[in-house]
Amino acid sequence: MNTTHFISSEILELSTIRDIIFQNKKIELSKDAIYKIEKCRNYLDAKIKNQEKPIYGINTGFGSLCNVEISKDKLTQLQENLVMSHACGIGDIVPRAVVKLMLLLKVQSLSYGHSGVQLQTVQRLIDFYNNDILPVIYTQGSLGASGDLAPLAHLALPLIAKGEVVYQDKVYPAQEVLSQFNWKPIQLKSKEGLALLNGTQFMSAYGIHLLIKSHELSYLADLISSISLDAFDGRIEPFNALVHLVRPHKGQIKTAERVREFLSGSELVQQEKEHVQDPYSFRCIPQVHGATKDTIDFAHKVFKTEINAVTDNPNIFVEEDEIISGGNFHGQPLALALDYLKIAMAELGNISERRIYQLVSGLRGLPAFLVDNPGVNSGFMIPQYTAASIVSANKQLATPASIDSIVSSNGQEDHVSMGANAATQCYNVVYNIERVLAIELLNASQALHFRKPIKSSALIESFLETYAGEVGFVKEDQVFYKLIEKTLHFIDDFYIENELIFD
């Protein structure tokens, strides 16, 4: 098995990133990437030496200070001051998995040879990645244009031996860890601070992390809803391929196909039904889950483009002898995609909670609240409350962040994306969905016990047999949050053990 991923100009796929993460691969620059980085840096050094004309961010101030020229002997100080002054994030600490992705994606973006950084700067970021030295970054501070300035400043601080890092599960001053590895601080040259801070790697890292999670949750929602359908004595006819071929949305077709596969061979779904129709939360699983799949696909395309792009400013074009100040750091495409993803994932929770409600309602031969002796036992009454609370919170979090903008930098940066807020909100939504689906699995598994000796499909029976090793049938009331926690652990292990799922 290859334990190293080489950073190159080849398209970086979401499945490749998942492979890097789950196999804990090291990263290394390809020969082509090294050549491009060095060629661009040499070009920039020569340009500065031979030209007196001001070039934004290279020998000028930043933002509304873009017309202030900086002397050549102050260029290193200019870049270090930029990093220090912009490191003013606050709030919660960004999850380590996201920070590690930020390092990977920043290296990828700098490797194309349009940013003007030193090779040793990129190599130090790789050293941080490979040794799990993760800068401490905060969730609040980015407007999502001039890129993710504050978070990326915190990412860059340890390069100059400032800020803090997490290493071996402890927080250290960056200088201590650099000393431990005998690494000298990087002396930033012209343009480097701006190359490190301008960019969309905070939004992108959140987006990639959440897309991997969303693909997995989409699959799991199909599986758990299939268990619920069988436990509720639901009908299979609404999943017939003929229904979906006449309304051929890709996600809808895929969802119906999965449910049919999951329930193939089920005695329960094949038995005679007394009812003609099921509630929408069962009958319309393909339409609702499918629409979320199509949204995930849209967001996937946006983020795939972004992580294979150059998003700092200005951009350097060696062959064309051009240094152009543009706006590739603006996070609008990501902000819209993250807002869309928030809404779509929230809907997986909405419909899941409705299935939970149906299962505990004492319908179709199931006992009220899925427990013997209701009254003495409250049974699964309150897990539904918990799911309802989460779903309500998600409706608030799913309000679009991208419709807002606040003027900054004395009016120079007069429209911003707020994509960073969309990213952190989306993180909360997606992890909330996992909790709701865990509660549905807990309920559906319990409900299916009351259908014995009639069986579901071999696939579902096998899945639930494994799950019963964590959470078995609940005969009497007990401390339910422990059962939800165990279900969440079971779901996480299920992701890791199965190569999920990007079709």
Side-chain angles (χ1 to χ4, degrees):
M1 182 179 66
N2 187 1
T3 58
T4 302
H5 170 78
F6 285 89
I7 302 291
S8 70
S9 57
E10 291 185 11
I11 295 296
L12 185 60
E13 300 281 356
L14 195 65
S15 56
T16 305
I17 295 176
R18 189 185 189 278
D19 184 55
I20 293 168
I21 294 167
F22 281 89
Q23 294 188 29
N24 200 27
K25 290 187 176 184
K26 306 294 185 183
I27 61 172
E28 187 176 328
L29 290 171
S30 66
K31 291 181 180 179
D32 183 56
I34 292 171
Y35 171 76
K36 289 177 178 177
I37 291 168
E38 290 186 322
K39 183 179 180 181
C40 186
R41 183 67 232 178
N42 292 336
Y43 166 85
L44 183 57
D45 285 340
K47 196 76 170 177
I48 294 169
K49 182 178 180 180
N50 299 321
Q51 178 176 312
E52 296 300 326
K53 181 182 176 182
I55 308 170
Y56 173 73
I58 295 173
N59 54 11
T60 74
F62 310 104
S64 64
L65 300 174
C66 60
N67 295 317
V68 179
E69 291 190 43
I70 309 297
S71 62
K72 290 180 180 179
D73 63 324
K74 300 289 187 184
L75 294 185
T76 291
Q77 182 183 347
L78 173 70
Q79 300 304 315
E80 292 194 358
N81 284 351
L82 176 72
V83 174
M84 291 189 293
S85 66
H86 284 53
C88 44
I90 200 166
D92 296 330
I93 293 177
V94 174
R96 295 180 199 178
V98 176
V99 174
K100 194 157 185 177
L101 275 173
M102 287 177 69
L103 288 168
L104 172 64
L105 298 181
K106 177 54 79 173
V107 169
Q108 182 73 33
S109 185
L110 296 176
S111 73
Y112 295 117
H114 294 291
S115 301
V117 292
Q118 300 177 87
L119 179 61
Q120 63 176 322
T121 302
V122 183
Q123 188 57 57
R124 181 60 53 79
L125 291 173
I126 291 173
D127 291 337
F128 287 165
Y129 182 94
N130 287 340
N131 290 282
D132 282 318
I133 299 167
L134 304 178
V136 174
I137 303 172
Y138 299 93
T139 55
Q140 293 176 316
S142 172
L143 299 175
S146 294
D148 295 309
L149 291 174
L152 289 173
H154 284 277
L155 188 80
L157 275 176
L159 294 170
I160 58 174
K162 298 186 184 300
E164 296 177 316
V165 297
V166 176
Y167 179 59
Q168 295 182 341
D169 296 324
K170 293 183 180 179
V171 177
Y172 296 95
Q175 178 62 67
E176 284 188 24
V177 176
L178 264 61
S179 297
Q180 184 174 337
F181 282 82
N182 293 316
W183 292 336
K184 294 181 180 179
I186 299 294
Q187 296 295 311
L188 297 178
K189 296 180 74 173
S190 57
K191 171 66 167 69
E192 287 200 279
L194 203 57
L196 291 164
L197 269 59
N198 270 185
T200 61
Q201 285 76 38
F202 179 83
M203 292 176 281
S204 295
Y206 266 95
I208 293 300
H209 178 80
L210 295 173
L211 276 169
I212 292 172
K213 191 81 171 175
S214 295
H215 276 290
E216 293 169 342
L217 288 173
S218 174
Y219 179 91
L220 196 68
D222 292 347
L223 177 57
I224 293 173
S225 65
S226 299
I227 301 170
S228 294
L229 180 73
D230 236 8
F232 197 62
D233 195 26
R235 303 189 70 101
I236 197 64
E237 290 86 349
F239 302 88
N240 189 302
L242 293 173
V243 174
H244 307 287
L245 290 173
V246 296
R247 194 200 191 197
H249 292 292
K250 178 185 173 183
Q252 179 175 328
I253 291 171
K254 183 63 185 179
T255 303
E257 178 186 318
R258 276 189 185 162
V259 173
R260 292 196 306 272
E261 289 174 358
F262 292 148
L263 291 173
S264 178
S266 168
E267 297 171 4
L268 281 165
V269 86
Q270 292 171 4
Q271 71 180 354
E272 193 77 20
K273 310 295 180 186
E274 295 182 4
H275 49 278
V276 176
Q277 284 187 336
D278 293 323
Y280 286 180
S281 56
F282 294 94
R283 192 183 355 147
C284 298
I285 288 169
Q287 290 78 9
V288 178
H289 289 203
T292 294
K293 284 182 179 60
D294 292 338
T295 304
I296 292 171
D297 283 348
F298 167 77
H300 189 152
K301 290 174 185 176
V302 170
F303 279 92
K304 179 179 174 180
T305 298
E306 191 73 6
I307 66 176
N308 289 284
V310 178
T311 59
D312 66 297
N313 182 61
N315 301 134
I316 300 168
F317 301 93
V318 177
E319 301 300 330
E320 294 82 2
D321 191 21
E322 292 272 12
I323 300 176
I324 304 172
S325 181
N328 278 354
F329 49 67
H330 201 292
Q332 195 69 24
L334 308 185
L336 292 171
L338 286 162
D339 278 342
Y340 195 12
L341 186 62
K342 284 192 312 188
I343 293 166
M345 292 304 290
E347 279 302 292
L348 281 188
N350 284 352
I351 195 170
S352 174
E353 185 278 329
R354 289 294 81 198
R355 291 190 295 265
I356 294 166
Y357 181 88
Q358 295 284 359
L359 288 171
V360 300
S361 296
L363 302 173
R364 298 192 178 176
L366 294 173
F369 305 115
L370 300 177
V371 69
D372 292 322
N373 302 317
V376 174
N377 293 298
S378 294
F380 286 67
M381 179 190 296
I382 305 303
Q384 184 268 325
Y385 284 38
T386 303
S389 171
I390 294 169
V391 165
S392 178
N394 273 355
K395 292 173 185 177
Q396 297 156 33
L397 289 166
T399 300
S402 56
I403 59 175
D404 188 26
S405 178
I406 295 178
V407 178
S408 59
S409 194
N410 279 356
Q412 182 75 0
E413 297 164 10
D414 58 349
H415 180 277
V416 295
S417 76
M418 297 299 180
N421 287 348
T424 55
Q425 290 165 354
C426 192
Y427 185 92
N428 289 331
V429 168
V430 169
Y431 278 85
N432 279 344
I433 295 309
E434 185 175 41
R435 293 164 188 141
V436 174
L437 289 173
I439 293 170
E440 184 182 356
L441 175 57
L442 180 64
N443 279 258
S445 173
Q446 179 78 2
L448 208 55
H449 276 278
F450 291 102
R451 300 300 184 189
K452 290 183 176 181
I454 307 173
K455 292 185 177 182
S456 186
S457 67
L459 185 152
I460 287 174
E461 293 288 345
S462 175
F463 176 79
L464 291 179
E465 183 179 353
T466 305
Y467 175 61
E470 298 290 329
V471 179
F473 180 69
V474 178
K475 294 181 179 180
E476 303 286 342
D477 279 352
Q478 54 184 282
V479 180
F480 269 86
Y481 83 91
K482 290 290 187 182
L483 303 181
I484 298 172
E485 284 184 347
K486 288 178 180 179
T487 305
L488 283 167
H489 290 313
F490 174 80
I491 288 171
D492 286 338
D493 290 342
F494 179 75
Y495 293 154
I496 294 168
E497 291 169 4
N498 293 271
E499 290 296 323
L500 301 174
I501 281 167
F502 298 99
D503 59 351

